[in-house]
Amino acid sequence: MAGHSKWKNIQRRKNAQDAKRGKVFMKLAKEIFVAARSGGGDPETNPSLRLAVDKAKSANMPNENIDRAIKKATGDLDGVQYENVTYEGYGPGGAAIMVNLLTDNKNRAAADVRHAFSKNNGNMGENGCVSFLFSRRGSLVIDRSEINLNEDELMLQVIEAGAEEMETHEESFEIYTDPQEFQNVKNLLEESDIHFVSAEVTMLPETYTHLEEQDGENMLKLLDMLEDNDDVQDVYHNADIDDDVYNQM
């Protein structure tokens, strides 16, 4: 992971979200709904709900939308059963991809994901074919232009908060934690008035696959197609794509 920045992926995802804000809010509401229904509507006692709410707030989802999703989940609402499903496969150039979904129709979800892979020079694989290439970690990303601390000052606070690692890049600081310590680290840094571009427990690749121009373009098209699917909550991949390809797309 060292030397590879999440910044490009975050910026690409943010630009896509800005263009379809309503769809993003719908996916976040579904995630909040499932977390609240399974563990209760109090974020203080339901860690999964707390993570989902924090994720929604970082995407600027209105509080009334968040409250509505929690109330729906804890009220008497029949007929809604979402199932968490993960599909794995290989994208253009052999890049590893994991797709996490919340769906009420597994057959439809599988067909849609398979179609997205095949249309963009990818292939779905068996469960476990690429998951070993990823590890579950807390990830906190800071925009360097929005923080007054220098690298050494920030590093000291990060260490004191209990984070495992901090990477420094041209445009960002990227902090990584044990998943169990994520919320505590986040809270301690926020108490120091540090704000995050992205804060989530996610799946991070252990190694990366560099893609040449055409494979990179096809990979971005595949990611966009997957993320545009209403059932898809998260897409994880290990593609290393040049800045020029991002800019062209």
Side-chain angles (χ1 to χ4, degrees):
M1 181 167 56
H4 186 96
S5 173
K6 287 190 66 189
W7 189 257
K8 289 186 293 186
N9 289 330
I10 291 170
Q11 292 301 102
R12 183 195 66 81
R13 189 169 61 187
K14 182 179 183 301
N15 291 338
Q17 289 176 347
D18 288 344
K20 46 191 177 185
R21 182 68 60 185
K23 183 182 288 288
V24 172
F25 288 169
M26 180 185 68
K27 292 187 178 187
L28 292 168
K30 186 191 294 185
E31 191 168 339
I32 291 169
F33 177 93
V34 171
R37 172 155 282 196
S38 63
D42 184 359
E44 295 301 319
T45 58
N46 183 347
S48 295
L49 178 58
R50 184 169 62 244
L51 287 174
V53 169
D54 285 348
K55 185 176 179 180
K57 288 182 176 179
S58 70
N60 296 318
M61 184 173 177
N63 287 332
E64 61 186 46
N65 294 38
I66 296 173
D67 293 339
R68 188 182 308 121
I70 294 174
K71 288 177 180 177
K72 282 184 178 180
T74 55
D76 184 17
L77 186 66
D78 296 324
V80 180
Q81 290 293 331
Y82 292 119
E83 187 172 356
N84 194 308
V85 187
T86 299
Y87 296 112
E88 303 178 32
Y90 299 92
I97 303 176
M98 295 179 62
V99 188
N100 186 43
L101 304 91
L102 284 173
T103 182
D104 58 357
N105 188 323
K106 284 181 64 176
N107 292 333
R108 180 193 66 222
D112 288 347
V113 172
R114 186 175 293 107
H115 174 66
F117 271 89
S118 63
K119 186 175 181 179
N120 296 282
N121 297 331
N123 294 285
M124 279 184 64
E126 299 294 329
N127 287 343
C129 68
V130 300
S131 58
F132 68 95
L133 297 172
F134 297 82
S135 60
R136 185 171 171 80
R137 299 185 77 186
S139 169
L140 302 153
V141 181
I142 301 169
D143 185 339
R144 290 191 68 158
S145 67
E146 296 183 1
I147 188 169
N148 294 323
L149 301 174
N150 62 38
E151 181 179 350
D152 291 338
E153 291 170 335
L154 178 60
M155 175 66 82
L156 181 60
Q157 293 205 28
V158 166
I159 293 173
E160 291 177 345
E164 293 181 334
E165 179 182 1
M166 186 180 90
E167 293 182 2
T168 301
H169 300 277
E170 183 178 350
E171 297 176 295
S172 65
F173 294 110
E174 299 174 13
I175 301 161
Y176 300 102
T177 77
D178 181 281
Q180 301 300 320
E181 296 298 323
F182 168 78
Q183 195 64 48
N184 185 54
V185 172
K186 179 175 179 289
N187 291 343
L188 288 172
L189 292 176
E190 285 178 335
E191 288 175 2
S192 299
D193 202 30
I194 295 173
H195 305 285
F196 308 104
V197 174
S198 170
E200 59 185 345
V201 175
T202 185
M203 300 295 289
L204 296 176
E206 299 288 349
T207 60
Y208 287 85
T209 299
H210 181 74
L211 301 184
E212 299 299 332
E213 183 174 355
Q214 189 59 57
D215 284 337
E217 290 180 3
N218 288 332
M219 182 67 177
L220 292 178
K221 291 177 182 177
L222 172 56
L223 295 177
D224 285 342
M225 191 169 179
L226 288 170
E227 291 170 352
D228 197 45
N229 187 310
D230 290 344
D231 287 335
V232 173
Q233 296 298 112
D234 297 290
V235 182
Y236 312 113
H237 67 87
N238 74 340
D240 178 18
I241 303 172
D242 292 336
D243 288 342
D244 289 344
V245 177
Y246 275 96
N247 294 334
Q248 290 171 10
M249 294 295 289

